[in-house]
Amino acid sequence: MRESAVKDRILDTASRLFYDQGYHVTGINQIIEEADIARASLYNHFPSKTDLLLAYLDRTHQEWFVELDEFLAPIPMAREKLLALFDYRLQRQRRYGYKGCPFNKITAETSDDEQVLQRVKVHKEQIRDTIRQLVLQAEHRRLMDDDRLTDTLFLLQEGGIVLGATFRSSNDAEKARQIAESLL
Amino acid sequence: MRESAVKDRILDTASRLFYDQGYHVTGINQIIEEADIARASLYNHFPSKTDLLLAYLDRTHQEWFVELDEFLAPIPMAREKLLALFDYRLQRQRRYGYKGCPFNKITAETSDDEQVLQRVKVHKEQIRDTIRQLVLQAEHRRLMDDDRLTDTLFLLQEGGIVLGATFRSSNDAEKARQIAESLL
DNA sequence: TTCAAAATAGATAAGTCTGTCTATTTTCAG
DNA sequence: CTGAAAATAGACAGACTTATCTATTTTGAA
């Protein structure tokens, strides 16, 4: 049996609205209307709004790293891969309208849900690990040791993305990339 | 006529709940109950929930820089003031439970409100300016020029704070401070 | 073609939300 | 002490929320 097209439309619509508008201001009714599906179909696939949120986070996380792998694959050198990671995140911000990292957004909205927080932690830790692996392989300028460089690059990225949301611009993320370049 | 104690209690309670729980999940009813004031008193002082939000942002912004001035005042050297700015933000995170910057939080929740976004921009730009002024005064190691160092320090701070919210910890903000120290 | 699974429309429950209004009591300055 | 301003309790409107349920139609694989 093939995957349900209805389920995909629900998740697509919910993802877009959760990210663009926010989770709490997005009602089930709006999702149903914009996805153009029946109310019972939604509750058949996702027993509660929380399940829909978790599915959104899981799919976003999965897609994030699949696309990253594709993005980095043609780049041979670890140093250039590290810079491309900045480009990748910039590309995503451009594509989705400078609203910041979806995981940081949901953390800001739902401070206490353990299931949500756990997924955010996993996502961020995996980004940090990706950076660390590349730093270990890269022949960088050794202005810092590997651990410190890892932290620096990660902090610069997170800072650039979050400022992109407040200024609706790529300026700070681009500066972050330039700084990274000078440190590598 | 003196300032109303009721108005202060409303704003205190709303601020706490907006920050701890989030703006949209905090209802007027909860504010009324926890502030232990009458419904009409709230609407007398704040005609709408949005007015309450804007008052919260304005007061937080004002208090942020008043406290910062007090924090930096006894420190003589610009370089040490820059590091103390990291300490100041760390202290605030500790005090308020590692939920991130209140301005970033509200940006994540209310993506489209121009009045809100404007206040966030002003707040962040003022932090950046504060850093810039101190960098210009500081006799730093000249590993970068003043503008780039300003951006770097700002990005490190923002990154450290936002990661503090996902890991509910001061680890990344402390690392940010250490990196800043090595760059100064 | 058959027939179960999937999707549909729509009513409904039970609760919450913001904001308004009335009527009463408290507070506090002159 | 007086009288206006401030605060109170509480009902209420109207809209919205998530979730459930029934009954019907469509879909698609065997």
Side-chain angles (χ1 to χ4, degrees):
Chain A
M1 63 192 79
R2 72 180 185 78
E3 261 306 294
S4 160
V6 167
K7 186 170 182 176
D8 284 345
R9 274 226 306 293
I10 295 168
L11 199 45
D12 288 346
T13 305
S15 298
R16 174 173 55 80
L17 294 174
F18 288 169
Y19 182 69
D20 286 351
Q21 302 183 341
Y23 173 71
H24 284 112
V25 298
T26 299
I28 296 288
N29 294 334
Q30 189 184 8
I31 297 170
I32 286 163
E33 179 159 355
E34 296 200 17
D36 197 33
I37 50 94
R39 179 170 216 77
S41 298
L42 188 147
Y43 280 101
N44 181 46
H45 288 293
F46 305 99
S48 75
K49 195 185 171 186
T50 299
D51 290 296
L52 193 47
L53 171 61
L54 297 178
Y56 154 63
L57 293 177
D58 287 342
R59 197 182 64 164
T60 302
H61 173 67
Q62 157 128 355
E63 181 220 60
W64 206 98
F65 282 96
V66 166
E67 284 191 16
L68 176 64
D69 282 349
E70 293 170 6
F71 196 87
L72 297 186
I75 299 167
M77 309 285 285
R79 182 182 182 277
E80 272 63 41
K81 278 181 197 278
L82 279 167
L83 292 172
L85 178 48
F86 283 81
D87 293 330
Y88 175 63
R89 298 193 73 170
L90 258 162
Q91 184 193 77
R92 290 189 73 94
Q93 290 300 301
R94 224 176 353 255
R95 187 195 308 165
Y96 295 115
Y98 298 108
K99 297 201 168 64
C101 166
F103 292 86
N104 286 344
K105 277 200 82 173
I106 207 65
T107 300
E109 268 200 270
T110 68
S111 314
D112 280 341
D113 189 314
E114 270 311 314
Q115 291 183 290
V116 169
L117 208 57
Q118 188 54 33
R119 282 163 170 83
V120 178
K121 285 181 187 171
V122 166
H123 179 75
K124 293 299 181 189
E125 212 52 86
Q126 193 164 332
I127 294 178
R128 199 204 300 265
D129 279 354
T130 301
I131 295 174
R132 178 175 292 116
Q133 295 308 316
L134 290 172
V135 164
L136 291 175
Q137 294 166 41
E139 295 173 19
H140 59 87
R141 298 172 59 196
R142 300 239 145 260
L143 297 176
M144 313 171 172
D145 65 45
D146 289 340
D147 279 348
R148 175 157 290 182
L149 183 57
T150 300
D151 290 328
T152 304
L153 297 176
F154 188 37
L155 287 164
L156 287 171
Q157 271 182 31
E158 292 295 321
I161 300 295
V162 79
L163 288 172
T166 106
F167 295 108
R168 292 283 194 270
S169 139
S170 60
N171 286 348
D172 287 286
E174 283 169 6
K175 285 178 188 163
R177 200 209 119 112
Q178 287 173 9
I179 293 161
E181 205 170 355
S182 76
L183 295 175
L184 278 168
Chain B
M1 65 193 79
R2 71 181 185 79
E3 262 305 294
S4 161
V6 167
K7 185 170 183 177
D8 284 345
R9 274 226 306 293
I10 295 169
L11 198 45
D12 288 346
T13 305
S15 298
R16 176 173 55 81
L17 293 174
F18 288 169
Y19 183 69
D20 286 351
Q21 302 184 343
Y23 173 71
H24 285 112
V25 299
T26 300
I28 296 288
N29 293 333
Q30 188 184 8
I31 297 170
I32 287 164
E33 178 158 357
E34 296 200 18
D36 197 33
I37 51 93
R39 178 171 215 77
S41 298
L42 188 148
Y43 280 101
N44 180 47
H45 289 292
F46 305 97
S48 74
K49 196 185 170 187
T50 300
D51 290 296
L52 193 47
L53 171 60
L54 297 178
Y56 155 62
L57 293 176
D58 287 342
R59 197 182 64 163
T60 302
H61 173 67
Q62 157 127 352
E63 180 220 58
W64 206 97
F65 282 97
V66 167
E67 283 192 18
L68 176 64
D69 283 348
E70 294 170 5
F71 196 88
L72 297 186
I75 299 166
M77 309 285 285
R79 180 182 183 277
E80 271 63 42
K81 278 181 196 279
L82 280 167
L83 292 173
L85 178 48
F86 283 81
D87 293 331
Y88 174 64
R89 298 193 72 170
L90 258 161
Q91 184 194 77
R92 288 189 75 94
Q93 290 300 300
R94 224 175 354 255
R95 187 194 308 165
Y96 294 115
Y98 298 108
K99 298 201 166 63
C101 166
F103 292 86
N104 286 344
K105 277 200 82 173
I106 207 66
T107 300
E109 267 201 271
T110 69
S111 313
D112 280 341
D113 189 314
E114 270 311 316
Q115 291 183 291
V116 169
L117 209 54
Q118 189 53 33
R119 281 162 171 83
V120 177
K121 285 180 187 171
V122 166
H123 180 74
K124 292 299 181 188
E125 212 52 87
Q126 193 164 332
I127 294 178
R128 199 204 300 264
D129 279 354
T130 301
I131 295 175
R132 178 175 293 118
Q133 295 308 317
L134 290 172
V135 164
L136 290 175
Q137 295 166 40
E139 295 172 18
H140 58 86
R141 300 173 58 194
R142 300 242 145 260
L143 297 176
M144 315 170 169
D145 64 47
D146 288 342
D147 279 348
R148 174 156 291 182
L149 183 57
T150 299
D151 290 329
T152 304
L153 296 177
F154 189 36
L155 287 164
L156 287 171
Q157 270 183 29
E158 291 294 321
I161 300 296
V162 79
L163 288 173
T166 104
F167 296 108
R168 292 282 194 271
S169 139
S170 61
N171 286 349
D172 287 285
E174 283 169 6
K175 285 178 189 164
R177 200 208 119 111
Q178 286 173 9
I179 293 161
E181 204 171 355
S182 76
L183 295 176
L184 279 168

